[in-house]
Amino acid sequence: MKISDLIGEATEYDKKETLEERRPKSWLKSVSAFANGIGGALIFGVTDNEEPVGLSDSKDVSEKISEIIKTKMDPIPQVIMEIHEEAGNEFVILRVPSGIETPYYYIGEGNRTAFIRVGNQSIPAGTIDLKHLVLHGSNKTYDSLTSQYKYENFAFTKLRSVYRKRAGQELEESDFTSFGLTDVNGMLTNAGALLADDSPVRHSRLFCTRWYGLDKASGVMEAIDDKEFSGSLVTLLQSGEEFVKNNSKKRWKKTANGRLEMPDYPERAILECIVNALIHRDYLDLGSEVHIDMYDDRLEIYSPGGMYDGSQVQNLDTDRVPSRRRNPIIADIFNRMNYMERRGSGFKKIKGDYRKEVNYKEALEPKFYSDNSSFWVTLYNLNYNVPVEKVDFGDEKVDFHSKKVDFEGQKVNIEFIETALTEMKVNLPTKEKAKEVFLSFGIQTVFSRKEVAKLLEISPTSASNLLAKMDKAGLLETVVGQGKGKYRFR
């Protein structure tokens, strides 16, 4: 292999033109970061602009590297050193595998400093990073640590109920210890504390917001709906699912054998994303929570903590990401309840759910992004800006011509609404606002007076009067069985 190939293919590498004996920190910080992370390679004999110039005495350099590592690193990491010859030049390639005795410290200037890799830089580990490294070095995880809370002081009604329903059996008292939710002394582990009905882990919360428009600053209205949830992880999961369901729509059409549904977002993909966000989040990060942010065209889920192995998901083949679990006890209990699998197939399943939908196209493929401390999933609204009559069902076409709502922009309904608002002397920023709101309602979309008032920023009384006029004109029908005052277009 050529040096240029190694530089091009290595996901983690650093380079030095020469061995800086008097400034060992300049390169040992990379050795520390590689050992504390996913490993990497340090190449001596390559300039900063990646020009391979070689070394004058590679054997002497390799011997000095070994000696400096022994005296300046604690613990001493495993390294693999080789002398590489190419085009008449010699190079020293120092390979550093991912270590198991983390943290690996550089010792110098009277300090002990552990480094981590962020992008192509080696930086000092922060407080949370050090906690992770200590846990990893002691072969422990956050969810396995014993908390300060006694099992007898907490209820697990939600966990027991859902476990019974989804696993088909009772969650016995002995299971709490065997599953790692309590220790032998009756104290909750962090996993147990996170699954208690009234979870004492206060930063384990879920923030959900349905923003108006395409970003968080539309200029007209900030948020249509927002909720904050706390409690058991099972409660957070169910609440997050319900929030997305309540703030998204589902088109459908009758077929010969039933009906074909066209949701904004595939339900299984939503479930998988929320499960992953709650299970794999970094609970050592006390200043952040899981967020679900919904916009007109997409849904974003943020989770504290990047990929557990330090890699960046956007640089990986998401069909072949191995299963690495930050919180294995929590993951195990959710697996027992059939919410997830152990095979690490989550990304592939999310993309597969999208590809099965009627309105799927490559531009709507779910996106995954991570950095050292965060993880994002973006799911696109499959029905956004898709006129109903242009939905392609393959050999089947849907006849919506009999419907009074024309999603291409027929004027009959919109003109009526604008006229009604003018007669009511309602002041709106623009008449386009009314058009935008009502065209966003699909034929089967159910909406209420309160929802219309909030979207149009008018009073409930004005919303009632508007809906009454529309109903009288035959534009609406009353929906039964979904509460009082619910309508949809005829």
Side-chain angles (χ1 to χ4, degrees), residues 251 262 358-359 386-393 397-398:
R251 295 176 178 176
M262 297 170 285
V358 172
N359 290 335
V386 179
V388 178
E389 67 274 13
K390 290 190 176 181
V391 175
D392 186 3
F393 294 94
K397 299 296 178 182
V398 186

Side-chain angles (χ1 to χ4, degrees), residues 1-4 6-7 16-17 42-47 50-59 61-62 65 81-94:
M1 175 178 287
K2 295 181 179 180
I3 288 293
S4 57
L6 178 61
I7 292 175
K16 286 291 177 183
E17 184 172 352
L42 186 58
I43 309 168
F44 292 88
V46 178
T47 65
E50 299 188 352
E51 180 184 355
V53 295
L55 300 167
S56 59
D57 190 342
S58 58
K59 183 177 180 181
V61 167
S62 63
I65 289 173
M81 193 149 32
E82 63 177 282
I83 296 176
H84 177 81
E85 296 185 14
E86 181 180 313
N89 292 320
E90 292 186 344
F91 306 84
V92 172
I93 301 175
L94 180 66

Side-chain angles (χ1 to χ4, degrees), residues 268-269 272 276 317-321 343-356 365-366 368:
R268 283 205 334 167
E272 189 77 28
N276 287 342
D317 179 356
T318 50
D319 287 343
R320 295 176 173 82
V321 176
R343 298 195 298 267
S345 58
F347 298 136
K348 188 174 183 179
K349 285 168 59 180
I350 293 167
K351 294 191 296 184
D353 290 339
Y354 258 75
R355 291 167 183 169
K356 295 175 185 176
E365 182 93 334
F368 309 98

Side-chain angles (χ1 to χ4, degrees), residues 225-483:
D225 190 13
D226 64 277
K227 296 285 191 301
E228 177 184 336
F229 303 103
S230 59
S232 169
L233 290 183
V234 180
T235 299
L236 299 188
L237 170 59
Q238 294 179 338
S239 299
E241 281 190 287
E242 189 68 18
F243 184 89
V244 173
K245 182 178 180 181
N246 290 340
N247 284 281
S248 55
K249 302 177 177 66
K250 182 184 290 184
R251 295 176 178 176
W252 61 272
K253 73 165 290 268
K254 292 181 180 180
T255 65
N257 300 317
R259 76 179 197 176
L260 182 63
E261 296 185 342
M262 297 170 285
D264 287 352
Y265 307 96
E267 291 184 9
R268 283 205 334 167
I270 292 296
L271 172 63
E272 189 77 28
C273 288
I274 300 176
V275 166
N276 287 342
L278 295 173
I279 290 176
H280 299 307
R281 72 151 285 185
D282 182 0
Y283 287 97
L284 285 173
D285 187 346
L286 305 182
S288 189
E289 302 86 9
V290 174
H291 287 252
I292 299 177
D293 292 298
M294 298 183 68
Y295 306 88
D296 289 358
D297 65 336
R298 69 195 187 282
L299 175 157
E300 296 176 353
I301 300 178
Y302 161 79
S303 180
M307 295 287 285
Y308 185 48
D309 63 1
S311 60
Q312 295 182 327
V313 67
Q314 62 270 23
N315 297 330
L316 304 176
D317 179 356
T318 50
D319 287 343
R320 295 176 173 82
V321 176
S323 178
R324 295 289 302 275
R325 298 175 295 170
R326 179 178 275 112
N327 302 298
I329 295 176
I330 299 172
D332 180 67
I333 192 70
F334 273 78
N335 172 260
R336 292 175 185 274
M337 293 187 290
N338 299 306
Y339 275 123
M340 64 176 297
E341 299 178 1
R342 291 190 177 94
R343 298 195 298 267
S345 58
F347 298 136
K348 188 174 183 179
K349 285 168 59 180
I350 293 167
K351 294 191 296 184
D353 290 339
Y354 258 75
R355 291 167 183 169
K356 295 175 185 176
E357 294 297 330
V358 172
N359 290 335
Y360 170 78
K361 53 186 177 181
E362 190 173 349
L364 300 178
E365 182 93 334
K367 298 291 191 301
F368 309 98
Y369 178 87
S370 68
D371 57 26
N372 189 54
S373 59
S374 308
F375 193 98
W376 287 270
V377 178
T378 301
L379 301 180
Y380 292 98
N381 185 337
L382 291 163
N383 293 321
Y384 179 69
N385 271 350
V386 179
V388 178
E389 67 274 13
K390 290 190 176 181
V391 175
D392 186 3
F393 294 94
D395 295 331
E396 281 189 295
K397 299 296 178 182
V398 186
D399 180 14
F400 283 103
H401 295 299
S402 62
K403 301 296 182 182
K404 293 187 177 181
V405 179
D406 182 345
F407 288 84
E408 279 294 300
Q410 283 184 356
K411 296 182 178 180
V412 56
N413 290 335
I414 300 305
E415 287 184 350
F416 179 90
I417 293 167
E418 291 178 341
T419 300
L421 290 169
T422 300
E423 291 174 352
M424 293 161 56
K425 298 182 179 180
V426 172
N427 294 319
L428 294 175
T430 64
K431 290 185 178 181
E432 290 297 315
K433 174 63 180 171
K435 184 183 297 185
E436 177 184 344
V437 168
F438 281 97
L439 285 179
S440 70
F441 291 145
I443 290 173
Q444 297 298 330
T445 299
V446 177
F447 51 89
S448 65
R449 177 197 67 169
K450 183 178 179 181
E451 191 174 4
V452 169
K454 194 170 187 178
L455 288 171
L456 292 182
E457 296 184 84
I458 59 179
S459 69
T461 300
S462 295
S464 293
N465 292 337
L466 174 61
L467 292 174
K469 287 176 178 290
M470 295 170 66
D471 191 20
K472 186 176 181 179
L475 301 183
L476 301 180
E477 65 179 1
T478 302
V479 179
V480 297
Q482 295 195 31

